[in-house]
Amino acid sequence: MKKIIFTLLLSTMAFNAFSQDVLTTVTKEVCTCIEGKKDKLDTSNPQSLKMQLGFCILGSYNNHTTEIDKIYGKIMQDEKAMEKFGEDVGMKMASVCPETLMSLAGSFSDTEVADTTATEEVKEDLFVEGEIVAFKANEFVTIQVKDKNARVHNMLILDYFETSALYTNNQIKPKDKIKVSYTEIELFDPKAKEFRYFKVITALEKI
């Protein structure tokens, strides 16, 4: 009995390792495919972006049909299996090519905000006034700002904006009073392993 359990355990571990290897290979191909299309992608059209991402995923699937079907079943015949496969690739992109994933998520969000009602467009005018607590530079720069209620906000620099030179030219420092305009974008947080909203800076102003 113990030998059977041990054999089953080894088989499960081997299958999980195989699954991760295939998923990593597919995701790398999808990332390369999307990055190769960057100059031609219409970032103002989220439907076009989703379609191109779908083409990249489908192209990699065609390269590894047998391996993928062993893991997910015949995804071309099962909508739920296809959805699960796509979700897993999307989550894996967060570790394989996070900049590409964030770029896509940012494009989707920016376009959706531009096409929404006037009520939702107010999001573009959100801002925080307060004192700079610290700068954190990991994959992306985070400016921590403490408002008048002593609440600390983490604000990301992801895209170029007109007043970005205040940061890039070292014209602001901790304890400076500042107004930070921002928009909220839903991105995948690899640490929390979930999608959540981030405050992305659109303007800086010393006060």
Side-chain angles (χ1 to χ4, degrees), residues 64-137:
H64 308 282
T65 303
T66 302
E67 297 97 317
I68 293 170
D69 285 352
K70 281 183 180 178
I71 301 168
Y72 296 92
K74 296 185 181 298
I75 68 171
M76 300 305 291
Q77 302 171 20
D78 186 338
E79 187 175 346
K80 288 185 178 179
M82 182 179 291
E83 185 177 342
K84 172 63 175 171
F85 173 57
E87 288 176 352
D88 286 352
V89 171
M91 291 183 68
K92 196 70 174 177
M93 286 177 72
S95 59
V96 175
C97 55
E99 293 183 8
T100 300
L101 178 62
M102 286 191 169
S103 176
L104 287 173
S107 296
F108 290 145
S109 180
D110 288 344
T111 304
E112 288 166 2
V113 169
D115 292 339
T116 54
T117 62
T119 301
E120 291 189 346
E121 285 176 357
V122 172
K123 286 185 177 180
E124 292 291 343
D125 299 321
L126 294 173
F127 66 88
V128 170
E129 290 184 349
E131 179 182 290
I132 297 175
V133 176
F135 302 105
K136 291 188 175 181

Side-chain angles (χ1 to χ4, degrees), residues 8 15 17 22 26 31 40 69 91 124 133 165 181 196-197:
L8 288 173
F15 180 78
V22 172
V26 168
C31 291
K40 299 178 181 178
D69 285 352
M91 291 183 68
E124 292 291 343
V133 176
S181 298
R196 67 183 183 87
Y197 283 93

Side-chain angles (χ1 to χ4, degrees), residues 134-149:
F135 302 105
K136 291 188 175 181
N138 296 312
E139 285 188 26
F140 302 99
V141 173
T142 299
I143 300 179
Q144 293 186 319
V145 180
K146 182 168 66 176
D147 64 23
K148 62 181 180 181
N149 297 316

